[in-house]
């Protein structure tokens, strides 16, 4: 019979903190943008994120749910990206 574990208040708090962090994909889906766009916002300092330890070339981030909630509620806004003028050939 598998051993059953109970959640202590301390471990419940740790779990709650994990639930408050979202992946790039989850944020992109909520904002209806591509994951590349979310990564660009993070690297340019437009969106706050937590950098996680990683292996390999790609950075791993988590975004606080509160950051996303503020964007969706209109409390915080992202700056509009200026389009580069297209050259006509």
């Amino acid at each position: 019979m598998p051993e059953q574990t109970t959640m202590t208040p301390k471990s419940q708090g740790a779990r709650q903190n994990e639930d408050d962090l979202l992946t790039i994909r989850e944020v992109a889906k909520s904002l209806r943008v591509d994951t590349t766009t979310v990564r660009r916002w993070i690297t340019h300092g437009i969106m706050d994120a937590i950098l996680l330890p990683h292996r390999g070339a790609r950075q791993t981030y988590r975004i606080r749910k509160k950051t996303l909630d503020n964007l969706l509620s209109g409390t915080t806004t992202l700056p509009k990206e200026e389009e580069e003028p297209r050259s006509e050939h």
Side-chain angles (χ1 to χ4, degrees), residues 22-35 38 41 47 63-65 67-73 78:
L22 303 171
T23 64
I24 297 277
R25 184 173 289 151
E26 291 168 331
V27 172
K29 185 176 179 182
S30 295
L31 296 174
R32 295 181 177 180
V33 296
D34 191 70
T35 56
V38 176
W41 289 339
M47 179 180 280
I63 295 94
R64 288 185 176 86
K65 187 175 184 319
T67 301
L68 177 63
D69 290 343
N70 288 342
L71 284 170
L72 293 173
S73 71
L78 293 170

